[in-house]
Amino acid sequence: MDLAYLPLQGDAALLPEGLNISFKLIPAIMVIGMMLLFLAVGFMFAVADTDDMWVAGRSIGNLENGMAIGANWMSAASYLGMAALIALSGVYGLAFVVGWTTGYFILLIFLAAQMRRFGKYTAPDFVGDRFNSDAARALAAVTTFLIGFVYAIGQARGMGLVGMYVLGDINNFVPLPGLSAYQAAMILFMLITVGYLALSGMLGATKNMALQYVILISAFLIGLLATGWTAGYSTVLPQIEYGMLIDDLGSEFSDPFAGGSYYLWIATCFSLIFGTCGLPHVLVRFYTVENERVARWSCTWGLFFICLLYWSAPAFAAFGAALYGDQIGAVYGDPGMSGASADVIVVLASQLAGLPTWFVGFVAAGGIAAAVATVAGLFIAASSAISHDIYANIINEDATQRQQVLVGRLSILLIGLLTIVFAMDPQQPIAALVGFAFSLAAIVLFPMFFLGLWWENSNRQGALAGMVSGLILWFIPMLNEGNFGMVNGGEGLGIEFLATWMPAIGSALIAMPLVIVIMIIVSLVTDEPPERTKMMVRQCHSPDPMPKDMTAADVVAEKTDRSHETPADD
């Protein structure tokens, strides 16, 4: 079974079999209290200026930022979707563990400190200033918005599925004509998330992310330990002891590439590695710290915090698959476990192990916290792209800070509304939806960041050619597979050769090298960038420390006694 292409069959498929979907008072109090706490933190750290709105005043320490990176990163795709992939497709699902972890090593070595030294608000800000192009800035901003939108659909799906366990069918209390239990729960949690984000901006979001990390990692690790102990699968180290179950789970779980071809595993892993390095909501975390040293340590701490969960996800998948097989029905085959049940396997395993309802509610709360934390990072990055990069830098260069913050808040409301609409009937499991966003980031943005920081002769024409070709190359497999209902009522173009060698979830394996080659060739046959731009790139690699409030452009301007030049008008 190839989980990357497992479609949902409609709203009925959004009711996980075996999950106790009824209102539960204590879990409901826990989850509602948690969401109210997030709102309170957002209110306490409400922002009024752009520095706090987009980069938290560059005041975040390395440990706190590492926790924020962990929470920002460990989305519903990590907390729920990764265990789902491993449970349903075995070794193929490990591509997500490998890809999402390896990407941070590349970030640590090649991008974290250099991005902080460049010192801009956002990823599109970097692209616009590095390549002296408002057109490139706009393309990067649109890509950032699109990444946030696609990524957030998976988080909204996770909120709705887990929310059903806690709240049951909200229609039993407040009739909502035309809305299913899943849709009502998803809308409720999304509205609360959008509300605190519009209020708090990056400063409040970062404070909340540190809190959300503590909640989600505690819920996941304690839940895993309790599930393994109660079910008799493990004692004190379930991350290792789950190996005793592998033979009992069947070849679908343990045989290499039974859930996907070798090529698909490599392609998926490649897209996830370099997509990690191109995600704007990840890179913006390095702008919230004082200097490049703190940026490196933030990345190191973040990787440690992330590995705590990633080391544990395969064990939860094994326990969940075993409990499902014993108590509900066959995990594999036709019929087997549905994608909706797999997406809540962490919560379902805790329930099937016979743990108290309040404890299962605690595990469910962790899943909601994971989804909320990631949506926060995504929406802040997307809104800053609209407000700062398009509105303030292109449309209205005289915009006041108040106007920018207002446009940013309206942008959060807009992307929140779009996400809710498209998450009403999502067409793919959580991890697959998130995988599409990673492919887009790897194809379009990673080449801009990597060549922009490490090759001083990459220029505006090369960046524009690379980004336009990258967007086209990303859309081709998406159209071919009919994702998000595009083309032929969701059936897509159906070109088998393209689906095999350039799958949407792993399209970066072919597309990203093509974009890099296009960018290099175009840069070589056109004029070199200005000398000032080359000096900025060199400054990003200088061994000299940089002051908190200075950017590479500021240092170069001081050295040359020249004022900051504005990007060219394309």
Side-chain angles (χ1 to χ4, degrees), residues 256-567:
F257 318 117
S261 68
Y262 176 75
Y263 178 82
L264 180 63
W265 196 95
I266 294 295
T268 302
C269 196
F270 186 92
S271 284
L272 297 177
I273 290 172
F274 292 100
T276 299
C277 301
L279 284 177
H281 77 288
V282 172
L283 293 172
V284 75
R285 301 287 349 148
F286 303 125
Y287 296 150
T288 63
V289 298
E290 183 175 350
N291 54 47
E292 63 271 24
R293 182 178 182 276
V294 180
R296 285 196 179 98
W297 273 108
S298 295
C299 190
T300 304
W301 277 113
L303 184 59
F304 168 74
F305 291 138
I306 290 166
C307 283
L308 290 178
L309 188 142
Y310 282 11
W311 187 34
S312 307
F316 236 138
F319 295 165
L323 288 165
Y324 186 97
D326 290 342
Q327 300 184 34
I328 298 178
V331 178
Y332 308 105
D334 187 16
M337 186 194 300
S338 70
S341 292
D343 271 344
V344 292
I345 195 69
V346 170
V347 178
L348 186 58
S350 303
Q351 175 197 304
L352 296 178
L355 294 170
T357 301
W358 67 266
F359 188 91
V360 182
F362 175 55
V363 176
I368 294 172
V372 169
T374 299
V375 169
L378 291 167
F379 283 13
I380 290 294
S383 66
S384 65
I386 299 299
S387 175
H388 178 72
D389 297 301
I390 293 181
Y391 177 71
N393 279 282
I394 298 176
I395 297 175
N396 181 11
E397 295 183 2
D398 297 323
T400 64
Q401 289 199 359
R402 182 175 181 179
Q403 289 173 323
Q404 291 183 55
V405 171
L406 175 61
V407 172
R409 285 172 169 156
L410 292 175
S411 306
I412 290 173
L413 296 177
L414 172 62
I415 190 174
L417 178 61
L418 286 173
T419 301
I420 288 172
V421 170
F422 278 83
M424 296 290 275
D425 186 20
Q427 296 183 331
Q428 296 282 355
I430 295 171
L433 288 166
V434 170
F436 299 150
F438 276 79
S439 293
L440 177 59
I443 294 168
V444 178
L445 293 183
F446 174 74
M448 304 304 113
F449 300 150
F450 186 76
L451 290 181
L453 287 169
W454 289 92
W455 186 38
E456 64 181 37
N457 286 330
S458 56
N459 64 11
R460 178 178 64 186
Q461 294 87 344
L464 290 171
M467 295 177 78
V468 171
S469 60
L471 285 168
I472 294 171
L473 288 168
W474 180 77
F475 268 109
I476 289 173
M478 294 290 290
L479 293 171
N480 186 57
E481 295 171 15
N483 293 304
F484 305 110
M486 294 187 293
V487 182
N488 196 19
E491 295 295 325
L493 301 175
I495 303 173
E496 186 175 348
F497 177 83
L498 188 60
T500 300
W501 296 105
M502 197 172 174
I505 201 168
S507 54
L509 180 60
I510 290 177
M512 192 195 83
L514 286 176
V515 170
I516 290 177
V517 169
I518 290 170
M519 189 172 174
I520 291 174
I521 291 174
V522 174
S523 294
L524 289 174
V525 299
T526 52
D527 294 336
E528 292 185 1
E531 182 61 27
R532 178 181 168 277
T533 299
K534 293 183 179 182
M535 293 177 65
M536 288 168 57
V537 175
R538 295 167 198 157
Q539 180 60 35
C540 289
H541 302 278
S542 170
D544 299 327
M546 289 180 61
K548 171 182 175 181
D549 296 321
M550 291 192 70
T551 68
D554 296 331
V555 174
V556 170
E558 279 191 357
K559 289 180 177 179
T560 60
D561 290 323
R562 292 167 57 188
S563 61
H564 180 71
E565 298 173 10
T566 57

Side-chain angles (χ1 to χ4, degrees), residues 79 83 216-242 245 307-320 323 345-347 349-350 353 355 359 362-363:
Y79 194 100
L216 74 88
I217 200 64
S218 299
F220 197 90
L221 295 182
I222 296 173
L224 174 63
L225 185 63
T227 299
W229 175 273
T230 305
Y233 298 139
S234 65
T235 53
V236 295
L237 203 59
Q239 293 89 345
I240 293 177
E241 293 175 277
Y242 83 91
L245 276 174
C307 283
L308 290 178
L309 188 142
Y310 282 11
W311 187 34
S312 307
F316 236 138
F319 295 165
L323 288 165
I345 195 69
V346 170
V347 178
S350 303
L355 294 170
F359 188 91
F362 175 55
V363 176

